[in-house]
């Protein structure tokens, strides 16, 4: 009997230790990977890593979460700034962010940095010929994703002496920005995605550089939007976007295709001084107030077919290097084209004359061939 007890006691101790470890793992695991809140309909996935090789700062709420459940899982802007300062990626889905996201608090790196874009440069100039300036620089090394979320505070970068560099993709799709967003003097090395986002405050991307372009389909911009002297090196796709207030895209350089098809401009709109190196598509766009394309340079195909200009449309001193289709747009007020340089598209009459001329040349050539054949046969 004593021998059996001596054998069973260590075995029972081992089983208890193993069960204790398993229970601890089961209790801790939901906090690391996922959890289901009371009611069983709202799932939360979250993790936070302090190392660059980790998952970063992640929090995802399912679409089934109620407003009250999202309020209980609110994310403070200070936690996001801390992760960004550590170089970690940030991924937030379906969350509420409370507080201002002031990117001026990121650490400053003094570095000789090539200016990523220079508005007004021509397509014939080499992109490598860029000025180098020593600027006050802040970097966001990790990717920044805030999808289908609500930012209650402002997003700010207001440094007038430096630049903010985003090294990885930025994804704000479906997010509502309740206050101002100012990302002026920012360089986006990867694509920035704004589709279905809503900007209720003013939006500023002044003197920005977009290396891989911008996606802003069905985006709603608020009372004022400025892209003054920005440079887009990739495609800009704002199909179906709503610019509810003033839209200032003055002296902007579009190096690749730009799409504003079905876009709606609710207030004054300015593209003056901008350069379109490739195709510019404004098909079915609606301009409700005065619109200015003065001193613009359209180097590719320009499409205004189906566009509606409900107020003054000023194309003074604009240069169209390909035939335009302004005649297919609707103008409630006669457009101003003083000093504009346009290439007339071939008319139907000239086209028919050209076709008749081709037929005549063909008939003459056939007749000469018949004469030569007959002459050769006689010989």
């Amino acid at each position: 009997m004593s021998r059996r007890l001596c054998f069973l006691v260590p075995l029972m101790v081992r089983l208890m230790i193993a069960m204790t470890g398993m229970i601890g793992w089961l209790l801790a695991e939901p906090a690391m990977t996922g959890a289901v809140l009371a009611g069983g309909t709202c799932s939360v996935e979250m993790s936070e890593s302090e190392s660059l090789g980790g998952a970063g700062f992640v929090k995802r709420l399912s679409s089934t979460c109620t407003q009250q459940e999202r309020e209980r899982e609110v994310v403070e802007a200070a936690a996001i700034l801390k992760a960004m300062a550590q170089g970690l990626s940030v991924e937030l889905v379906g969350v509420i962010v409370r507080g201002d996201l002031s990117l001026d608090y990121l650490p400053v790196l003094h570095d000789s940095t090539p200016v990523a874009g220079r508005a007004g440069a021509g397509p014939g100039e080499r992109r490598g010929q860029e000025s180098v300036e020593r600027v006050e620089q802040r970097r966001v090394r990790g990717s920044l994703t805030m999808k289908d979320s609500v930012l209650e505070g402002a997003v700010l970068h207001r440094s007038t002496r430096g630049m903010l560099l985003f090294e990885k993709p930025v994804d704000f799709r479906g997010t509502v920005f309740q206050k101002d967003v100012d990302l002026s003097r920012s360089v986006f090395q990867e694509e920035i995605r704004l589709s279905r986002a809503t900007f209720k405050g003013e939006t500023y991307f002044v003197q920005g550089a977009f290396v891989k372009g911008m996606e802003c389909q069905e985006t709603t911009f608020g009372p004022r939007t400025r892209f003054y002297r920005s440079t887009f090196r990739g495609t800009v796709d704002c199909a179906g976007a709503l610019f509810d207030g003033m839209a200032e895209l003055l002296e902007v350089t579009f190096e690749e295709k730009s799409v504003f098809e079905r876009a709606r401009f609710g207030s004054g709109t300015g593209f003056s001084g901008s350069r379109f190196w490739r195709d510019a598509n404004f098909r079915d766009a609606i301009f409700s107030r005065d619109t200015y394309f003065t001193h613009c340079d359209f180097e590719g195909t320009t499409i205004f077919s189906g566009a509606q200009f409900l107020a003054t449309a000023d194309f003074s001193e604009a240069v169209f290097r390909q035939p335009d289709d302004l005649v297919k747009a609707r103008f409630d007020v006669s457009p101003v084209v003083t000093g504009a340089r346009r290439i007339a598209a071939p008319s139907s009459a000239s086209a028919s004359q050209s076709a008749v001329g081709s037929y005549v040349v063909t008939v003459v050539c056939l007749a000469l061939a018949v004469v030569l054949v007959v002459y050769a046969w006689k010989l």
Side-chain angles (χ1 to χ4, degrees):
M1 186 68 177
S2 60
R3 292 181 178 178
R4 290 182 180 178
L5 289 174
C6 292
F7 174 76
L8 291 175
V9 169
L11 181 61
M12 293 175 65
V13 171
R14 292 178 182 176
L15 287 174
M16 291 177 64
I17 294 174
M19 292 179 64
T20 302
M22 183 174 294
I23 292 172
W25 179 81
L26 289 173
L27 292 175
E29 185 64 16
M32 294 296 294
T33 60
V36 179
L37 300 182
T41 59
C42 179
S43 62
V44 180
E45 299 179 28
M46 56 188 299
S47 67
E48 187 171 357
S49 173
E50 297 292 337
S51 63
L52 292 175
F57 184 74
V58 180
K59 191 165 191 177
R60 307 187 193 98
L61 274 66
S62 64
S63 59
T64 56
C65 295
T66 64
Q67 180 66 21
Q68 292 77 10
E69 290 168 334
R70 297 182 194 278
E71 290 283 351
R72 289 199 296 268
E73 297 293 330
V74 70
V75 176
E76 297 294 336
I80 301 174
L81 286 172
K82 178 183 176 182
M84 295 172 69
Q86 294 173 347
L88 302 178
S89 294
V90 175
E91 182 180 356
L92 303 174
V93 179
V95 304
I96 296 175
V97 178
R98 188 156 293 160
D100 291 342
L101 194 63
S102 182
L103 303 177
D104 294 325
Y105 290 111
L106 292 177
V108 177
L109 300 175
H110 295 277
D111 190 13
S112 294
T113 305
V115 177
R118 181 165 58 88
E125 299 182 23
R126 298 183 59 184
R127 295 184 180 180
Q129 296 176 347
E130 299 169 327
S131 60
V132 177
E133 301 175 358
R134 184 170 294 275
V135 297
E136 180 183 273
Q137 182 187 114
R138 294 174 174 85
R139 292 187 183 183
V140 179
R141 291 189 169 89
S143 60
L144 178 59
T145 300
M146 287 188 281
K147 290 174 55 180
D148 301 319
S149 300
V150 176
L151 273 72
E152 296 182 343
V155 180
L156 303 172
H157 173 247
R158 290 180 170 173
S159 173
T160 58
R161 298 180 301 167
M163 59 184 290
L164 178 63
L165 176 63
F166 291 88
E167 297 183 355
K168 298 294 179 62
V170 176
D171 191 347
F172 292 147
R173 287 177 294 172
T175 291
V176 177
F177 298 87
Q178 294 186 341
K179 293 187 178 179
D180 294 350
V181 174
D182 189 348
L183 291 175
S184 298
R185 295 182 63 85
S186 294
V187 178
F188 299 91
Q189 290 190 327
E190 299 294 335
E191 186 178 29
I192 174 172
R193 310 178 77 177
L194 306 176
S195 294
R196 299 179 290 102
T198 300
F199 297 88
K200 293 187 176 182
E202 298 184 349
T203 309
Y204 298 96
F205 289 93
V206 175
Q207 292 181 322
F210 302 80
V211 179
K212 296 293 181 65
M214 183 177 72
E215 176 189 296
C216 47
Q217 300 173 359
E218 308 294 338
T219 302
T220 300
F221 294 95
R224 189 179 187 185
T225 305
R226 296 193 69 198
F227 285 90
Y228 175 65
R229 284 191 173 179
S230 289
T231 299
F232 294 94
R233 289 187 168 178
T235 299
V236 177
D237 190 351
C238 288
L242 170 62
F243 295 85
D244 202 25
M246 291 281 288
E248 301 178 35
L249 295 95
L250 306 175
E251 299 183 37
V252 175
T253 300
F254 299 92
E255 296 188 7
E256 295 296 335
K257 181 173 64 174
S258 55
V259 179
F260 293 92
E261 185 174 358
R262 296 179 288 103
R264 291 169 293 165
F265 299 86
S267 187
T269 304
F271 283 89
S272 295
S274 294
R275 303 191 66 176
F276 299 84
W277 292 8
R278 300 290 186 264
D279 297 349
N281 185 357
F282 292 91
R283 186 190 304 274
D284 297 325
I286 299 176
F287 301 88
S288 300
R289 300 291 181 87
D290 293 348
T291 303
Y292 297 90
F293 284 93
T294 61
H295 298 277
C296 282
D297 193 342
F298 298 96
E299 306 214 7
T301 302
T302 307
I303 302 174
F304 283 99
S305 177
Q308 301 179 45
F309 294 87
L310 308 183
T312 301
D314 193 343
F315 292 87
S316 299
E317 305 296 335
V319 177
F320 295 87
R321 302 183 187 276
Q322 301 288 339
D324 61 79
D325 63 348
L326 288 177
V327 295
K328 297 180 181 179
R330 166 190 158 187
F331 295 94
D332 286 3
V333 179
S334 296
V336 180
V337 292
T338 306
R341 288 184 284 171
R342 305 168 63 188
I343 297 178
S347 63
S348 58
S350 61
S352 61
Q353 292 176 1
S354 177
V356 171
S358 299
Y359 293 145
V360 170
V361 172
T362 302
V363 171
V364 171
C365 290
L366 289 175
L368 288 176
V370 170
V371 170
L372 291 175
V373 169
V374 172
Y375 180 72
W377 179 76
K378 287 184 177 182
L379 290 178

